Amino acid sequence: MSYKIVNVVGARPNFMKIAPLMAAYRRTTDFEPLLVHTGQHYDEKMSDLFFRQLGIPEPDTNLGVGSGSHAQQTAQIMVGFEEVIREHQPDAVLVVGDVNSTIACGLVAVKRGVKLIHVEAGLRSRDRSMPEEINRLLTDAISDLLFCTEQSGVDNLIQEGVDADRVFLVGNLMIDTLLANVDRAKASTVLDDLGLEEDRYAVLTLHRPSNVDDPSAMARILDALEVIQAELSVVCPMHPRTRKNIEAFGLTSRLEAMPGIRLIDPVGYLDFLKLMSSARLVLSDSGGIQEETTILGVPCLTLRENTERPVTLDRRGNRLVGNDKGAIVGAYQDVRDLPKDGVDPPPMWDGKAADRIVEVLQSHLLEPAAVRA
Ligand code: UD1
Ligand code: UDP
């Protein structure tokens, strides 16, 4: 009898992480993998587009929770997910990343006595004002098996008292997806569609509450962009949170008055990969984009004071610049002419993380007799 694992996705960065894992399960007959989408993200361009582009199977269940306050969203996911557990009686639940769907489903699983597996465990920004840091700390505290993308994650977990025999450094599922798609993305017509020239523009993404929920932080970032866009085109696929806040803060007209900035809807994975790979530099407060630019060899200015992904700072590519105008513009001037080469991938960011995870699951969860050669 195969081992039933319910896998959880909810928000955009979860989709790139689950895609290679769902494919890796299918290369064995040991597991019955089910997929649950909480519906935390639901716009076509924040969700379904990724399922199609990355060949993720249709979810077995979509809880359809949508947006709300942290309490509302987390509580609704928990109530919906408890029904899933009741109905399917899985042997384990696997959650990825650090979004509200991650902790909500993790908590339900352990309270119902189901084993919990966390992929992307141990990352720490040490900034508890970030909702994701709370989600990371709590999910790791209740997980049975913890898979890490970088050595800092392993070290953090051990320091927090997690048994070393439950912690596995396996590499990075997001990079599995990047390496599997980087050639496909070359065929994207996004540069022509947007009238951009290879290496002659920057990509900007913003969605952290510390930047986009605070009008003064947003205004400081716009001050910096005003300078940068005067010499380099900036294309900005706008996260829905950011679009709403820019409108609410009355900043739309200021942005529209900057001729070098292109505000566009969020784009699909292949177009975004093409946009990043061909850019002079990337400015972002995203978690995953720090990792992707590290592998693409594109300089990344991270508009945050801290990162839970310090391995990206050890490589030349990523710099923490916060959201102060002078710091952003100064860092931009430092990196704008850097050659885009010298990629130095962190250990095991080689496209094989999903296979490593499945191997550990086979050796640690299955009865010895059931493990296939
Ligand atoms: C969430 C994650 C964050 C992650 C990000 C990735 C949490 C606490 N935050 O932040 O860690 O980096 O996703 O993108 O889990 N909205 C739409 N359409 C959608 C989704 C959201 O319009 O499909 C709007 C809604 O107004 C919503 C707002 O965006 O209130 C924020 O969405 P939410 O999922 O709560 O948080 P994110 O900022 O997306
Ligand atoms: N991404 C995308 N289209 C966009 C912006 C981002 O496909 O318009 C991808 C990006 O390549 C990465 C993931 O979305 O794989 C990162 O998600 P996000 O920045 O929303 O979340 P975070 O990583 O900060 O949690």
Side-chain angles (χ1 to χ4, degrees):
M1 220 176 57
S2 59
Y3 191 94
K4 198 188 270 191
I5 304 186
V6 167
N7 298 271
V8 175
V9 289
R12 178 168 65 187
N14 300 159
F15 307 135
M16 300 79 192
K17 294 168 197 170
I18 218 67
L21 195 54
M22 296 308 284
Y25 287 131
R26 289 198 293 267
R27 290 194 280 275
T28 87
T29 49
D30 290 333
F31 298 103
E32 184 187 343
L34 300 180
L35 184 62
V36 173
H37 190 337
T38 65
Q40 177 173 348
H41 284 178
Y42 45 86
D43 287 350
E44 151 73 19
K45 290 176 180 170
M46 294 297 286
S47 177
D48 287 6
L49 185 51
F50 298 97
F51 279 75
R52 288 198 302 278
Q53 287 197 339
L54 300 177
I56 304 169
E58 185 84 5
D60 297 280
T61 307
N62 189 325
L63 303 178
V65 298
S67 306
S69 69
H70 283 276
Q72 287 166 339
Q73 192 175 57
T74 309
Q76 282 180 30
I77 296 170
M78 289 181 70
V79 172
F81 193 65
E82 192 168 46
E83 277 310 306
V84 173
I85 299 290
R86 212 194 299 272
E87 183 190 340
H88 292 287
Q89 304 280 329
D91 298 298
V93 166
L94 182 143
V95 294
V96 297
D98 54 14
V99 300
N100 284 347
S101 301
T102 311
I103 178 59
C105 295
L107 199 46
V108 170
V110 295
K111 289 284 183 84
R112 292 199 65 96
V114 178
K115 270 198 169 47
L116 181 63
I117 304 158
H118 186 204
V119 176
E120 208 182 85
L123 296 180
R124 297 288 180 265
S125 65
R126 323 246 173 247
D127 174 0
R128 292 198 180 195
S129 70
M130 280 182 88
E132 296 81 2
E133 183 74 353
I134 305 299
N135 294 342
R136 290 188 280 260
L137 283 160
L138 298 183
T139 306
D140 288 341
I142 57 174
S143 292
D144 295 285
L145 296 180
L146 302 98
F147 291 102
C148 299
T149 51
E150 59 172 84
Q151 186 60 39
S152 78
V154 176
D155 298 343
N156 291 331
L157 292 171
I158 303 298
Q159 266 169 27
E160 289 169 21
V162 180
D163 300 335
D165 57 2
R166 295 191 288 118
V167 178
F168 306 89
L169 180 64
V170 289
N172 193 328
L173 288 178
M174 198 161 228
I175 302 306
D176 285 14
T177 296
L178 183 148
L179 295 175
N181 286 285
V182 76
D183 282 336
R184 263 178 94 202
K186 286 183 182 145
S188 157
T189 59
V190 69
L191 297 196
D192 287 344
D193 299 345
L194 294 172
L196 297 169
E197 278 181 66
E198 172 92 26
D199 214 30
R200 301 195 51 185
Y201 66 93
V203 177
L204 167 71
T205 80
L206 290 173
H207 70 275
R208 291 279 155 235
S210 56
N211 285 330
V212 306
D213 289 6
D214 171 359
S216 60
M218 211 50 238
R220 286 196 297 280
I221 293 172
L222 295 197
D223 290 344
L225 287 176
E226 203 149 41
V227 178
I228 296 169
Q229 60 87 38
E231 53 180 79
L232 189 67
S233 298
V234 179
V235 60
C236 176
M238 286 253 257
H239 191 285
R241 173 190 282 276
T242 310
R243 187 175 285 283
K244 283 179 188 152
N245 286 352
I246 283 176
E247 281 161 20
F249 301 156
L251 293 169
T252 314
S253 54
R254 189 163 168 217
L255 265 164
E256 282 171 357
M258 298 186 203
I261 294 202
R262 284 291 292 277
L263 302 181
I264 59 173
D265 281 347
V267 296
Y269 184 76
L270 296 172
D271 284 346
F272 195 71
L273 195 45
K274 172 80 174 185
L275 277 177
M276 280 192 295
S277 334
S278 301
R280 180 92 290 275
L281 69 142
V282 172
L283 300 113
S284 179
D285 57 13
S286 163
I289 290 172
Q290 296 172 66
E291 301 181 331
E292 292 169 335
T293 50
T294 296
I295 293 302
L296 294 170
V298 177
C300 180
L301 303 185
T302 294
L303 307 184
R304 292 175 45 188
E305 301 295 337
N306 49 58
T307 180
E308 59 289 329
R309 294 164 159 89
V311 77
T312 63
L313 300 176
D314 302 342
R315 271 74 194 158
R316 268 185 331 154
N318 186 23
R319 289 193 191 197
L320 291 178
V321 300
N323 59 25
D324 173 70
K325 174 188 173 186
I328 299 171
V329 172
Y332 156 73
Q333 286 162 346
D334 284 350
V335 304
R336 69 183 163 191
D337 299 319
L338 282 184
K340 283 177 18 186
D341 56 12
V343 175
D344 174 18
M348 293 192 237
W349 290 22
D350 56 2
K352 297 181 186 147
D355 287 329
R356 290 191 191 98
I357 290 172
V358 167
E359 275 167 30
V360 173
L361 297 180
Q362 285 172 318
S363 58
H364 284 70
L365 296 180
L366 304 181
E367 294 298 321
V371 179
R372 289 167 182 273

